[in-house]
Amino acid sequence: MRAAVLRTYNEPLSIEDVPDPDCPPDGVVLRTIACGICRSDWHGWVGEHPRVKPGQIGGHEYCGEVVEVGRDSRWAKGDRVVAPFILACGACPSCQSGHQNTCPNQRLPGFIEPGAFAEYVAVPMDHNLARLPESLSPTVAAGLGCRVTTSWHALTGRAALQAGEWLAVHGTGGVGLSAALLGKALGAHVVVVDVVREKLDHALSLGIDAAVMAGDDTAACIREITGGGAHVSVEALGIAATVNASLDCLRILGRHVQVGMPVGHTAWMNIDMSTVYARNLALFGTRGMPSWRYPSLLGLITAGVVDMSPLIAREVALSDTSAELAAFNGPTPPGVAVITDFGG
């Protein structure tokens, strides 16, 4: 099969012919229909992600068609499915308590084992897969990837965002814009923050209530807009400046959700804990979404409550993946890229 392989950090991926994947006994092999390109992929590409090593085939935001089934698989050839990026075992205490995204036995295609920057991808533990609704475009489904699922769980499974509350979102890349759109769908008032005016204008055009250019007075601007501070704030980048702005923009008893992934040299930060202490803030970490929550998210989208299609900025070929990853080296334009052509 054709695949984009990491050979050297921060260098173009190598487009190669590699062996087709073997089918896991408890899983399937998918023909990849679409695969999103995510900032998490970029962390691996530049060498900041501790689990991604040279030789890796990236790609963890994928949907596809089943072309081979293992002896214990629950799927049939021809089924179209979408995958969470965390594949949980289903048997451990974390899984049994409904927290599959914290499974200690998790499998991670795209990070530790071959992912979906390829024509085919093997998916073990296929009880994690969800059927792709007929009304949902595979391109949009792949774009849901980790960004929309993570945002959905951050807002509803962690921060318990309520209708009528103010939500602040720091960073309007894929995961940040997803959080903003989902927050509006839940009935919240939403203010977004970014360093790129085009991304803020894009968010406003989609019905977001207010936008703030990031700067020294970010938190003060949000407190003024919200009449005292946001109830919930999502940090969607993973750096100290936005983490502190997220904490400082909250009102008393506010909830901060750490969605952005701090890795490498950015993982250790100077944080103003006096704000946390004085305002009685709650801090939540979050990563991924339990697979059993897919129906709630897919149902919201297929019912027309929220339109996630504006998240997709462009469809690209497999050979374009390196350029899309390199774009994350600086501020990016609105929307995300999804690979839909695996022969180009």
Side-chain angles (χ1 to χ4, degrees):
M1 67 175 182
R2 200 163 182 262
V5 185
L6 172 67
R7 293 300 177 191
T8 304
Y9 293 128
N10 221 11
E11 295 289 339
L13 300 176
S14 176
I15 305 298
E16 302 177 8
D17 289 325
V18 301
D20 291 349
D22 295 324
C23 187
D26 62 347
V28 296
V29 172
L30 302 180
R31 177 182 65 83
T32 313
I33 301 174
C35 182
I37 302 172
C38 176
R39 183 171 288 273
S40 297
D41 297 310
W42 174 82
H43 284 302
W45 179 68
V46 298
E48 289 187 344
H49 198 296
R51 298 181 177 184
V52 177
K53 306 300 181 184
Q56 177 66 42
I57 299 172
H60 60 283
E61 300 184 325
Y62 56 94
C63 69
E65 179 182 346
V66 176
V67 295
E68 188 175 354
V69 296
R71 65 172 184 267
D72 300 322
S73 175
R74 61 170 57 189
W75 300 96
K77 290 182 180 180
D79 287 341
R80 289 190 165 197
V81 295
V82 61
F85 78 92
I86 297 172
L87 304 175
C89 74
C92 69
S94 290
C95 289
Q96 292 297 302
S97 62
H99 303 292
Q100 289 96 329
N101 57 317
T102 67
C103 173
N105 308 310
Q106 61 191 246
R107 303 283 293 274
L108 298 168
F111 295 104
I112 297 175
E113 46 208 310
F117 289 167
E119 291 181 290
Y120 299 95
V121 59
V123 185
M125 300 178 179
D126 69 5
H127 55 269
N128 291 279
L129 296 173
R131 190 175 300 278
L132 180 68
E134 291 186 6
S135 61
L136 184 60
S137 156
T139 303
V140 174
L144 302 181
C146 73
R147 56 181 69 90
V148 180
T149 57
T150 295
S151 295
W152 180 242
H153 189 59
L155 297 178
T156 60
R158 301 296 283 159
L161 180 69
Q162 302 297 307
E165 290 188 318
W166 271 100
L167 167 67
V169 180
H170 299 259
T172 55
V175 70
L177 183 58
S178 299
L181 294 174
L182 291 170
K184 286 297 295 181
L186 290 167
H189 310 293
V190 182
V191 53
V192 294
V193 182
D194 208 285
V195 296
V196 180
R197 171 54 64 184
E198 182 186 3
K199 292 165 79 171
L200 296 177
D201 291 341
H202 181 239
L204 291 172
S205 75
L206 299 175
I208 301 307
D209 298 284
V212 173
M213 282 290 289
D216 294 337
D217 59 350
T218 295
C221 288
I222 294 173
R223 290 197 303 271
E224 181 177 357
I225 290 168
T226 59
H231 298 85
V232 174
S233 185
V234 167
E235 197 283 343
L237 192 57
I239 63 174
T242 44
V243 170
N244 279 298
S246 176
L247 294 171
D248 195 22
C249 81
L250 288 165
R251 65 182 62 204
I252 291 173
L253 297 176
R255 292 101 75 195
H256 164 93
V257 191
Q258 189 59 41
V259 171
M261 182 171 66
V263 296
H265 67 279
T266 66
W268 294 88
M269 305 178 187
N270 290 320
I271 301 299
D272 181 11
M273 291 301 291
S274 64
T275 299
V276 177
Y277 170 80
R279 297 187 198 167
N280 287 239
L281 303 182
L283 276 60
F284 295 94
T286 194
R287 173 175 172 267
M289 180 184 76
S291 56
W292 64 266
R293 302 207 64 213
Y294 252 104
S296 67
L297 175 59
L298 295 177
L300 195 76
I301 296 169
T302 56
V305 176
V306 61
D307 180 11
M308 300 307 300
S309 61
L311 188 67
I312 311 302
R314 56 203 169 275
E315 299 182 28
V316 301
L318 184 65
S319 58
D320 297 322
T321 306
S322 298
E324 294 292 339
L325 291 172
F328 286 113
N329 286 327
T332 57
V336 301
V338 176
I339 304 168
T340 56
D341 177 4
F342 292 87

